[in-house]
């Protein structure tokens, strides 16, 4: 099978897989610049669905056409053909969550060179010269907040601590792991046993938690750097009969993660505001298209949710549909 066929099959897959509030190609290619396209990191995932809700709302308010195209997996080889395909339609701007901080630079530079404004939403490239603006949580601070929350929950108790990461080259989760690693050194009772990558697969997260427990029976905490790692880690702890014994600090607030927080399988969640990321992303994109003032870096809200305060912060729960 040729590379082109594989890319086309990938594209066909994403057409059926893109879910949540969005349908693909719900507006035609106008080519007049009054159109913004959102390319999330992966289809049908509550973080990006919530982002898409904010994106659609803001674009509608400004009279812009929209399109949403998402890869079926968080994978730069699936996201690249989407970027290349969008190039032909010449929208005014593309809002994208790059799935790899290096591999997506070439395709995105092609957009920029064609006069299409690029706005990064959530993840970003290492090369800061391509995007007009980046809207994201302060992910390093989110990692620090996770370490502080874990330390608050464990108190003086000693034990080992694991970080579950997604894929190397994901700017957000790498920053979260970095922030956590730096902060955890301040708590000598907590022994950091390192990070493990899971390829953003919940099953891998579950089995890595179980294996770490076998090697470190004193495991007292797990920091799962995103939604899939968090959902998988909760399963791993459940399978090992360690729910509530090992403190699980997740990132994100999907319906399942929120349910796990309420039910005690998760002790804290670091929630983001993906709808604001989508909304502000559109505003910056339109400013870039129309020659208005564009801010290079914008940070959105992060907060730690526990069972005690979750209901007061319901607005941070992610959506399954708009
Ligand atoms: O945590 C979010 C996002 O911020 C990250 O870049 C990738 O994973 C998520 O989409 C959650 O799955």
């Amino acid at each position: 099978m040729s590379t082109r066929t594989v890319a086309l099959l990938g594209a066909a897959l994403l057409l059926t897989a893109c879910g949540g509030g969005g349908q693909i190609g719900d507006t035609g290619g106008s080519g007049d610049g009054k159109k913004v396209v959102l390319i999330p990191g992966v289809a049908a995932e509550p973080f990006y669905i919530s982002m898409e809700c904010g994106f659609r709302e803001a674009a509608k308010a400004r009279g812009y056409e929209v399109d949403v195209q998402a890869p079926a997996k968080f994978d730069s080889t699936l996201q690249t053909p989407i970027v290349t395909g969008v190039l032909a339609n010449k929208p005014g701007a593309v809002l994208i969550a790059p799935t790899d901080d290096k591999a997506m630079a070439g395709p995105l530079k092609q957009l920029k060179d064609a006069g299409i404004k690029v706005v990064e939403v959530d993840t970003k490239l290492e090369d800061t010269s391509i995007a007009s603006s980046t809207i994201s949580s302060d992910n390093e601070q989110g990692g620090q907040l996770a370490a502080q929350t874990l330390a608050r929950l464990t108190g003086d108790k000693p034990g080992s601590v694991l970080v579950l990461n997604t894929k190397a080259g994901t700017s957000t989760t790498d920053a979260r792991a970095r922030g956590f690693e730096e902060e955890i050194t301040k708590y000598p009772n907590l022994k950091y046993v390192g990070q493990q990558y899971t390829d953003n697969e919940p099953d891998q997260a579950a089995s890595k938690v179980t294996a770490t427990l076998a090697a470190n029976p004193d495991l007292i905490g797990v920091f799962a750097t995103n939604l899939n790692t968090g959902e998988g880690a909760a399963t791993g702890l459940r399978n090992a009969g360690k729910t509530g014994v090992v403190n699980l600090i997740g990132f994100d607030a999907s319906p399942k993660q929120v349910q796990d927080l309420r039910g005690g399988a998760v002790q804290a969640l670091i929630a983001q505001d993906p709808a604001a990321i989508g909304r502000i992303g559109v505003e910056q994109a339109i400013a870039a298209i129309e020659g208005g003032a564009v801010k290079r870096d914008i940070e959105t809200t992060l907060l730690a949710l526990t069972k005690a305060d979750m209901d007061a912060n319901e607005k941070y729960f992610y959506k399954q549909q708009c």
Side-chain angles (χ1 to χ4, degrees), residues 7-203:
L8 286 173
L9 280 176
L13 187 59
L14 70 90
L15 280 172
T16 52
C18 183
Q23 288 133 28
I24 292 197
D26 39 358
T27 56
S30 59
D32 64 1
K34 262 231 140 181
K35 177 175 179 178
V36 285
V37 177
L38 173 65
I39 306 181
V42 67
E45 193 251 55
F47 174 82
Y48 294 113
I49 293 169
S50 304
M51 181 190 287
E52 182 181 328
C53 299
F55 162 83
R56 285 181 179 276
E57 202 186 284
K60 192 173 173 193
R62 296 291 300 271
Y64 268 69
E65 287 182 42
V66 294
D67 193 6
V68 180
Q69 299 196 35
K73 289 186 102 184
F74 194 94
D75 184 332
S76 61
T77 64
L78 299 180
Q79 199 178 39
T80 295
I82 297 177
V83 172
T84 315
V86 161
L87 187 60
N89 294 329
K90 285 235 181 308
V94 167
L95 283 76
I96 183 163
T99 43
D100 187 291
D101 60 6
K102 293 183 193 65
M104 293 311 297
L108 290 176
K109 180 146 189 321
Q110 280 187 300
L111 293 186
K112 185 186 182 204
D113 291 346
I116 299 168
K117 305 294 180 194
V118 176
V119 171
E120 291 165 331
V121 279
D122 179 47
T123 42
K124 61 184 179 186
L125 297 173
E126 241 178 36
D127 181 345
T128 55
S129 72
I130 295 170
S132 305
S133 180
T134 303
I135 301 93
S136 182
S137 308
D138 181 337
N139 288 289
E140 198 154 329
Q141 192 193 62
Q144 288 167 357
L145 184 58
Q148 290 156 5
T149 307
L150 175 63
R152 185 163 52 80
L153 292 169
T154 53
D156 290 340
K157 271 175 95 182
S160 297
V161 173
L162 167 73
V163 169
L164 284 175
N165 206 336
T166 58
K167 285 182 169 189
T170 307
S171 65
T172 47
T173 51
D174 281 348
R176 291 167 200 168
R178 211 166 41 241
F180 184 90
E181 281 175 357
E182 279 162 18
E183 190 67 17
I184 208 72
T185 58
K186 297 182 184 164
Y187 306 95
N189 57 314
L190 299 176
K191 183 178 150 225
Y192 180 48
V193 297
Q195 67 170 314
Q196 296 198 25
Y197 288 99
T198 62
D199 211 22
N200 203 27
E201 296 290 347
D203 288 355

